[in-house]
Amino acid sequence: MTPFQTFYLVLSLVVFALAWTRGGHTERAGVAIMVCAYVVSLVAQFIHLNGFRIAEAAIDLAVLSGFAWLALRRDRWWTLAATALAVLVMVAHTLTFLSPDLTLQQIRADIAARWGIGVLVILSLGAGVIERWMAGEAPASRLADWKPRRAPTT
């Protein structure tokens, strides 16, 4: 594992844990979208079309759709940033797809670009959690009602 991959993994785990415990429902939805994308991409990374990672492009399109849905439904700025960054990922996929005769160097450049943009998505999620904390908003974990509900007595 390269140092960048280690950094990416550690950053993801820290931000996801922070977002899940200190974020609201929007941040938790963002974590769910990204974790689902990671898990599915572990299986789909082996599906290629002449060197183009078509399954990863489909997963990234689903991530774009998820973030766009969040951006349209919720009032958090980081969802707009994540959606814009997901559009950039799709631009990278499109440019790679339109390149004739992909070389190994072009494939590696595509992956590096998408990983760099992925770091920015994770950082925007983390900044959204920090903003929520600075605004004094309670995390979703404190708002949850964990007590069992009793049936009303008559």
Side-chain angles (χ1 to χ4, degrees), residues 26 66-76 79-80:
T26 305
F67 281 138
W69 181 82
L70 277 178
L72 293 173
R73 296 283 183 178
R74 307 294 172 99
D75 62 347
R76 295 286 178 207
T79 58
L80 295 171

Side-chain angles (χ1 to χ4, degrees), residues 21-83:
T21 59
R22 299 289 181 213
H25 294 292
T26 305
E27 288 77 20
R28 285 185 172 190
V31 170
I33 289 169
M34 296 180 80
V35 168
C36 287
Y38 284 155
V39 171
V40 174
S41 68
L42 289 174
V43 176
Q45 68 182 344
F46 303 108
I47 301 172
H48 300 262
L49 177 67
N50 295 331
F52 177 69
R53 298 172 180 259
I54 190 141
E56 288 184 18
I59 293 167
D60 287 338
L61 184 61
V63 168
L64 169 62
S65 300
F67 281 138
W69 181 82
L70 277 178
L72 293 173
R73 296 283 183 178
R74 307 294 172 99
D75 62 347
R76 295 286 178 207
W77 65 267
W78 74 264
T79 58
L80 295 171
T83 303

